[in-house]
């Protein structure tokens, strides 16, 4: 078996995008693509620049979690300078791009768990982290971070609720193909902004938990209820047992009946 080469040129060669990936920088090893992306965004790198790491030594997830990303998986960050009104759509764009790309390279049907987890068969296969910097005298800069488990054997990291694409598909998924498709899909959705209506509609339609009984854990609260809807900014509308509707902007959702794990 030949080992696939992941590099800037293997990603950009013949890439059919004009914005996302016009500059791709590959590092065999980084602490976190988010930090490198943030640093070069501050220096004004072109919009659409992508930072890819072969492996990350200090990958991070939402809510100060560690994101384990050894060699053989996908860890990248995309730098964008959207209108401020476009910021809420970035997590939707990234989630949809991941779901479409996984389908295209593996045939697997992935789902989105609010707000930004990607699941296959109820197990987490990917996650999205968005970090924005809004300054008064400059356009906003945003970094979309995407981590996808490809060769990761989650059980070896003590994770029974996670999986990798190779494990889930029973094959060998090409990281180069997956990343190239991701850049195409991100561009396709990003270019529909500032009108995010179609992105919002599709994202809402693909959320796994809508209409179900859930527990939402945030930094300050644990709330129970029915995940009734999501609003246009991506916030979860939770119908509480007393009939009131709570708007939740961040947290982790657990299905009361489980995700079928
Ligand atoms: C989450 O599930 O909480 C989000 C995980 C995001 C991980 C990606 S991997 C690429 C980028 N660099 C990081 O340090 N984190 C994101």
């Amino acid at each position: 078996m030949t080992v696939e080469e992941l590099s800037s040129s293997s990603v950009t060669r013949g890439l059919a995008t004009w914005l996302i990936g016009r500059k791709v920088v590959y590092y065999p090893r980084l602490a976190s693509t988010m930090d490198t992306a943030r640093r070069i965004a501050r220096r004004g790198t072109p919009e659409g620049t992508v930072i890819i790491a072969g492996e990350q030594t200090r990958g991070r997830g939402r809510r100060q979690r560690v994101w384990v990303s050894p060699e053989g998986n996908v860890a990248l960050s995309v730098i964008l300078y959207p209108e401020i009104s476009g910021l809420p759509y970035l997590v939707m764009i990234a989630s949809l791009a991941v779901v479409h790309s996984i389908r295209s390279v593996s045939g697997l049907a992935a789902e989105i768990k609010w707000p930004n987890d990607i699941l296959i068969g109820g197990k987490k296969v990917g996650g999205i982290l968005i970090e924005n910097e809004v300054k008064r005298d400059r356009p906003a800069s945003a970094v979309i971070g995407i981590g996808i488990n490809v060769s990761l054997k989650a059980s070896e990291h003590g994770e029974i609720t996670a999986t990798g694409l190779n494990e889930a598909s029973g094959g060998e998924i090409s990281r180069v193909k997956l990343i190239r498709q991701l850049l195409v899909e991100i561009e396709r959705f990003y270019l529909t902004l500032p009108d995010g209506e179609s992105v919002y509609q599709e994202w809402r339609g693909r959320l796994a938990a809508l209409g179900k009984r859930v527990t939402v854990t945030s930094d300050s609260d644990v709330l129970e209820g029915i995940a009734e809807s999501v609003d246009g900014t991506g916030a979860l509308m939770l119908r509480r047992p007393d009939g009131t509707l709570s708007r939740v902007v961040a947290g982790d959702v657990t299905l009361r009946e489980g995700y079928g794990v």
Side-chain angles (χ1 to χ4, degrees):
M1 193 182 61
T2 53
V3 177
E4 180 193 50
E5 188 216 13
L6 178 56
S7 62
S8 305
S9 59
S10 65
V11 170
T12 53
R13 200 174 301 126
L15 185 70
T17 58
W18 67 270
L19 178 68
I20 309 295
R22 59 182 159 160
K23 179 171 175 194
V24 172
V25 192
Y26 170 77
Y27 297 88
R29 189 176 218 225
L30 273 184
S32 162
T33 57
M34 300 305 281
D35 298 333
T36 305
R38 173 62 54 221
R39 226 176 9 254
I40 70 162
R42 287 191 181 134
R43 294 205 300 256
T45 194
E47 179 165 47
T49 298
V50 179
I51 306 295
I52 302 174
E55 68 174 306
Q56 295 183 122
T57 53
R58 294 186 55 196
R60 61 174 182 271
R62 289 187 311 119
R63 306 181 70 208
Q64 280 88 50
R65 291 199 190 103
V66 171
W67 179 261
V68 178
S69 56
E71 173 55 39
N73 299 286
V74 167
L76 61 82
S77 292
V78 181
I79 298 159
L80 298 170
Y81 305 118
E83 300 286 325
I84 289 179
S85 60
L87 293 177
Y89 298 113
L90 298 183
V91 66
M92 306 178 196
I93 288 173
S95 310
L96 290 172
V98 172
V99 167
H100 281 276
S101 305
I102 287 178
R103 165 68 94 182
S104 149
V105 302
S106 72
L108 292 165
E111 292 185 301
I112 303 168
K113 177 161 88 83
W114 184 90
N116 48 7
D117 288 346
I118 308 299
L119 309 182
I120 291 179
K123 295 187 177 187
K124 181 157 171 168
V125 75
I128 286 139
L129 182 65
I130 310 282
E131 293 180 352
N132 301 324
E133 213 168 70
V134 180
K135 295 234 167 92
R136 227 175 343 139
D137 55 338
R138 281 199 270 154
S141 81
V143 178
I144 296 182
I146 298 178
I148 305 176
N149 302 333
V150 177
S151 67
L152 189 84
K153 293 197 173 67
S155 54
E156 289 174 5
H157 295 269
E159 274 290 348
I160 54 157
T161 56
T163 189
L165 290 180
N166 290 350
E167 189 172 67
S169 67
E172 286 274 329
I173 300 302
S174 156
R175 282 190 300 171
V176 172
K177 282 190 188 153
L178 181 59
I179 291 172
R180 286 165 61 90
Q181 193 61 33
L182 264 176
L183 305 189
V184 168
E185 299 287 352
I186 292 171
E187 173 155 311
R188 176 164 77 87
F189 288 112
Y190 186 61
L191 293 182
T192 66
L193 299 185
D195 178 7
E197 186 58 24
S198 59
V199 167
Y200 161 67
Q201 293 296 346
E202 183 175 347
W203 181 72
R204 189 176 67 168
R206 287 180 181 272
L207 286 174
L210 289 193
K212 307 230 168 90
R213 287 181 64 209
V214 296
T215 303
V216 186
T217 310
S218 68
D219 290 338
S220 55
D221 261 325
V222 178
L223 301 174
E224 299 205 339
I226 310 263
E228 195 163 285
S229 186
V230 278
D231 71 13
T233 69
L236 182 70
M237 306 306 291
L238 187 70
R239 182 69 64 185
R240 309 295 306 286
D242 65 4
T244 57
L245 202 54
S246 297
R247 183 172 177 277
V248 188
V249 293
D252 290 315
V253 162
T254 324
L255 269 190
R256 304 291 300 282
E257 300 85 26
Y259 284 91
V261 179

